[in-house]
Amino acid sequence: MRTVDFIRAKRDGQELAPEAIREFIKNLVEGRVPDYQASAFLMAAFLQGLNEAETRVLTEAMTVFGTELDLKSVSGTKIDKHSTGGVGDKTSLIIAPIVASAGVLVPMISGRGLGHSGGTVDKLASIPGYRTDLAAKDFVAQLKAIGIVLAGQSSDIAPADQKLYALRDATATVECLPLIVSSILSKKIAAGLDGLVLDVKVGNGAFMKTLGEARALAEALVRTGTAMGTKVVALITDMETPLGSAVGNALEVSEAVSVLKGQGPDDLREVSFELAAWMLVLGRAAKTLEAARARVERQVQSGAAVSKLRQVIAHQGGNPGIVDEPGKLPRARLQREVRSPAAGIIQEIRAYPIGMAAVVLGAGRAEAADKVDPGAGLILRKQPGDKVEKNEALCVLYTDRQGSFAEAEARALEAFVIGRSAPKRRKRILQTIEASDLKAPAKSAAKKKR
Amino acid sequence: MRTVDFIRAKRDGQELAPEAIREFIKNLVEGRVPDYQASAFLMAAFLQGLNEAETRVLTEAMTVFGTELDLKSVSGTKIDKHSTGGVGDKTSLIIAPIVASAGVLVPMISGRGLGHSGGTVDKLASIPGYRTDLAAKDFVAQLKAIGIVLAGQSSDIAPADQKLYALRDATATVECLPLIVSSILSKKIAAGLDGLVLDVKVGNGAFMKTLGEARALAEALVRTGTAMGTKVVALITDMETPLGSAVGNALEVSEAVSVLKGQGPDDLREVSFELAAWMLVLGRAAKTLEAARARVERQVQSGAAVSKLRQVIAHQGGNPGIVDEPGKLPRARLQREVRSPAAGIIQEIRAYPIGMAAVVLGAGRAEAADKVDPGAGLILRKQPGDKVEKNEALCVLYTDRQGSFAEAEARALEAFVIGRSAPKRRKRILQTIEASDLKAPAKSAAKKKR
């Protein structure tokens, strides 16, 4: 099928044949589809939709071509976690060592931050000496040796996704459920995972703004992943408020370490431990979710989890001393408290402006090409429900950019909503979606138009 | 407005602001919109539509940038004709000399043929010595000197259309009314015309297959052109059957000359003379359509029209002797008759397979890069309604490609439908649409979706 006919079929709302989808992706990866045709297809798919079968075939095709990383040679159950992104989300740094310490292999491939949303690779890179770019053979060797890898994405994994994602960003075709599903799953499944726990975040600091949207994405991910033979569970978790108190790369590493030592904020511990428990369930290290939760607690209490973190840092060239001496992590030179303009009770702390304040301070990227300052960010001194006096510190800003304080402070103040009465307590974990929760796949054909 | 936001707005079915459309086209022409963004916009526009106001602003913007040809310095009323393309459509060669001989300026810019559909530039180029590529200053000088130019499109006219058209062809976004309208009108109006007569063809050999589609296009062209201050009339004419008997470049020139000499096929004369009459009306060389029709007849009977053809050929470097000695036109070396498989009455001659037979013989292009043989083509020996005996010639094929006969014959035979009874006579001119026929422009906003 000529590419123009493939585009036309989707333009006209037809269901694309599996063979045609595979051919398109093969041609794309092998350089025979010019960008202008790929982007016309993306817009047609955005507006006409892709049904479940098309989404599955697309995702499969995207996993097939170009992968250099093949974990099938590593025996053992391999489980990863993926988050749709948020503010202060350092759960990966907590979860991976817990799960690996319980004997489940964790080959975790993470992304960089962009906009208000942070990225695990940036957090790892704030650890002095730590290498996030591993060659495929080193990745495999390390997974065999210590059962855990925390690395960045190489261009060899799912090259179709690399091409399509860059185009989607420039052509307003990002917010399209089937394309999101294929992008997330192709990267993860390409490496040969046995199971995947998804953290679908919802709220002003997340990609999905409403529970309905998040639920639709979570269901599509679970359905497509399951259809491809990978065990998938999705948790929908709250991202109206930043997760934990620290936002910014080294600051978040430090907070993650404290959770692994049995301390740290309750909300962060709750979400991290639940995600870790599900990974143990999928990895068959626990028979029930309840047993898995207990196992997570044991791995932390015993110190096994934090030991595993030291081990993976050392193995990837980083200084494991940061685990016991957080002062060895980079810290921005300048700091400033943001003080409350009024007395009252914190009603909410909106994640999006906090994330943007962190970007202004240098902890994140406004544009993909921006550099990140590892020591920049902010620490929340208050949480929703806390009382605050006028002029009491709401948060502390850290930066190397003297000129950034004014804007960062304005953004931070925008995040804090102060009232009179105690706010309703928000749940952090909103829903859990397993394959068995889904109705039989709807037989919906692609939408018909024209 | 960033291009990605412009694309998103149309993706979401919003009406685009005039300023945003102008900025997009300016950026496109000046090389600041990559092809992949332009094609995503085209698909969004295809699926979400552009309303009348958007279409007008888009067309205006496309006329504004990059034009080198400016006819405003030429005094007199300038009228052109545009056809949406068909098989055997040599009306331009007949009309332009008639209208110019009556004192209306005819700055005619024509295109090349592609697929089954012929192009006036290819027909002109079959005249020995004739130059179709004129520099802008020579174009203007000739129009001042003799009141008529028959030339090809230069890349300086409406460069936005050049870019967009090439992308539309590769991205399945050709068949989109607002984009067709902006493409046709931007090229024509950019040069500074006072009036434009449109020949919107309908039938199996045309771009528009149904009367409803043709009517919608004709109305959109008249409405948008009129809103831009150009006088526009559209005739909807039949293209189920080839126009006239000759198909192929030099063969068509010869047939056009015979019409200018008061001979030639009735259907070709009828369509050509009516289009010419409307050009005289728009050019104010006649007060009524009836007077214009009489004037057309006079220009032909008096020999003024055919003299004007000799003059324009000579002025553009061609041999005017072809007008009186058609043997001086190129003629393919090989010829073969296609004989009727049965006796009966010709019910119809389908234009599309005849056009494709001509392509096979070398008279047209399967791909844009193909070369055309000026002397190749075919002559219909029968017309719908004619009686035919078994083994009598239906048409004669002309080619330099020995191997093409079998396929060309098969295609030609496919075109002829032979039956028992006399077919219903088809009208050639189906509808005429003037600005005054249109209802007040609907206030429809862009379609809302999602």
Side-chain angles (χ1 to χ4, degrees), chain A residues 368-412:
Chain A
D370 290 351
K371 278 206 136 185
V372 155
D373 294 338
L378 56 88
I379 300 277
L380 303 177
R381 284 282 176 80
K382 297 288 178 184
Q383 287 289 337
D386 287 355
K387 278 177 68 176
V388 64
E389 300 300 327
K390 184 168 174 169
N391 287 328
E392 196 184 349
L394 293 169
C395 63
V396 188
L397 312 179
Y398 298 85
T399 190
D400 289 326
R401 307 176 186 181
Q402 175 74 59
S404 71
F405 276 131
E407 185 183 346
E409 179 163 3
R411 297 216 178 226

Side-chain angles (χ1 to χ4, degrees), chain A residues 3-5 7-8 10-12 35-37 39-41 43-44 46-48 166-175 367 447 449-450, chain B residues 2-5 7-8 10-12 35-37 39-41 43-44 46-48 166-175 447 449-450:
Chain A
T3 302
V4 66
D5 297 325
I7 298 168
R8 179 177 295 112
K10 184 42 67 188
R11 178 198 83 182
D12 292 345
D35 286 349
Y36 53 84
Q37 288 191 314
S39 65
F41 169 73
M43 183 58 79
F46 187 105
L47 289 171
Q48 295 287 23
L167 286 175
R168 285 168 59 204
D169 200 40
T171 57
T173 51
V174 170
E175 311 94 320
E367 307 278 343
K447 278 183 288 170
K449 274 188 52 164
R450 331 181 71 78
Chain B
R2 294 186 310 155
T3 302
V4 66
D5 297 324
I7 299 168
R8 180 178 294 111
K10 184 42 65 187
R11 178 198 85 184
D12 292 344
D35 286 350
Y36 53 83
Q37 288 190 314
S39 65
F41 168 74
M43 184 58 80
F46 188 105
L47 290 170
Q48 296 286 22
L167 287 173
R168 285 168 58 205
D169 200 43
T171 57
T173 51
V174 170
E175 310 94 320
K447 277 184 288 173
K449 276 188 50 165
R450 329 182 71 77

Side-chain angles (χ1 to χ4, degrees), chain B residues 73-113:
Chain B
S73 67
V74 187
S75 59
T77 310
K78 286 151 292 219
I79 310 289
D80 197 358
K81 185 222 70 165
H82 177 81
S83 160
T84 59
V87 179
D89 179 10
K90 69 283 288 177
T91 57
S92 290
L93 306 174
I94 299 165
I95 295 167
I98 292 174
V99 174
S101 73
V104 173
L105 302 183
V106 182
M108 191 177 273
I109 298 169
S110 304
R112 306 194 324 156

Side-chain angles (χ1 to χ4, degrees), chain B residues 110-405:
Chain B
S110 304
R112 306 194 324 156
L114 184 61
H116 69 284
S117 183
T120 299
V121 162
D122 297 323
K123 296 167 200 185
L124 291 167
S126 75
I127 299 171
Y130 195 97
R131 283 185 299 109
T132 60
D133 55 331
L134 299 186
K137 71 172 174 44
D138 296 335
F139 192 112
V140 171
Q142 179 174 328
L143 189 63
K144 282 180 181 167
I146 64 169
I148 179 171
V149 185
L150 300 178
Q153 194 181 329
S154 105
S155 66
D156 301 323
I157 296 180
D161 179 62
Q162 282 222 322
K163 289 204 176 197
L164 293 180
Y165 196 85
L167 287 173
R168 285 168 58 205
D169 200 43
T171 57
T173 51
V174 170
E175 310 94 320
C176 172
L177 211 108
L179 298 178
I180 295 168
V181 166
S182 62
S183 177
I184 291 174
L185 293 182
S186 67
K187 284 194 291 262
K188 291 295 180 180
I189 295 180
L193 288 181
D194 298 295
L196 180 62
V197 175
L198 292 155
D199 181 5
V200 177
K201 300 209 175 280
V202 58
N204 74 78
F207 187 62
M208 295 298 175
K209 308 299 180 203
T210 69
L211 188 58
E213 289 170 357
R215 170 108 201 169
L217 175 58
E219 289 187 357
L221 285 163
V222 172
R223 182 169 280 136
T224 301
T226 303
M228 290 174 71
T230 303
K231 292 187 279 186
V232 181
V233 169
L235 274 62
I236 300 178
T237 70
D238 179 78
M239 189 38 69
E240 292 292 352
T241 302
L243 192 58
S245 298
V247 179
N249 301 298
L251 295 170
E252 294 192 41
V253 170
S254 186
E255 188 170 73
V257 168
S258 72
V259 172
L260 284 173
K261 289 180 170 174
Q263 302 141 24
D266 289 343
D267 63 338
L268 175 59
R269 190 165 46 230
E270 179 193 357
V271 173
S272 300
F273 285 12
E274 187 74 356
L275 290 165
W278 273 109
M279 288 175 78
L280 293 180
V281 169
L282 296 194
R284 281 176 294 199
K287 284 199 174 137
T288 65
L289 182 60
E290 211 157 311
R293 285 171 178 152
R295 183 74 193 269
V296 168
E297 291 285 353
R298 280 209 306 281
Q299 296 308 113
V300 174
Q301 299 303 331
S302 68
V306 79
S307 289
K308 189 53 92 175
L309 179 64
R310 282 192 201 93
Q311 190 182 26
V312 67
I313 291 174
H315 222 274
Q316 290 189 226
N319 179 1
I322 62 109
V323 171
D324 300 297
E325 295 177 73
K328 293 189 169 174
L329 284 165
R331 170 71 60 100
R333 282 179 298 112
L334 307 169
Q335 66 183 75
R336 180 183 290 187
E337 287 183 350
V338 176
R339 293 166 186 283
S340 179
I345 299 172
I346 308 291
Q347 304 295 304
E348 50 176 311
I349 305 174
R350 299 181 65 242
Y352 180 79
I354 292 290
M356 292 311 294
V359 170
V360 169
L361 293 166
R365 296 182 183 83
E367 307 277 342
D370 291 351
K371 278 204 140 189
V372 156
D373 295 336
L378 56 89
I379 300 277
L380 303 178
R381 285 282 176 80
K382 298 287 177 183
Q383 287 290 336
D386 288 354
K387 279 178 68 175
V388 65
E389 300 301 326
K390 183 165 175 176
N391 285 328
E392 199 185 347
L394 294 168
C395 62
V396 187
L397 313 180
Y398 297 85
T399 189
D400 289 327
R401 306 176 186 181
Q402 175 76 58
S404 70
F405 276 131

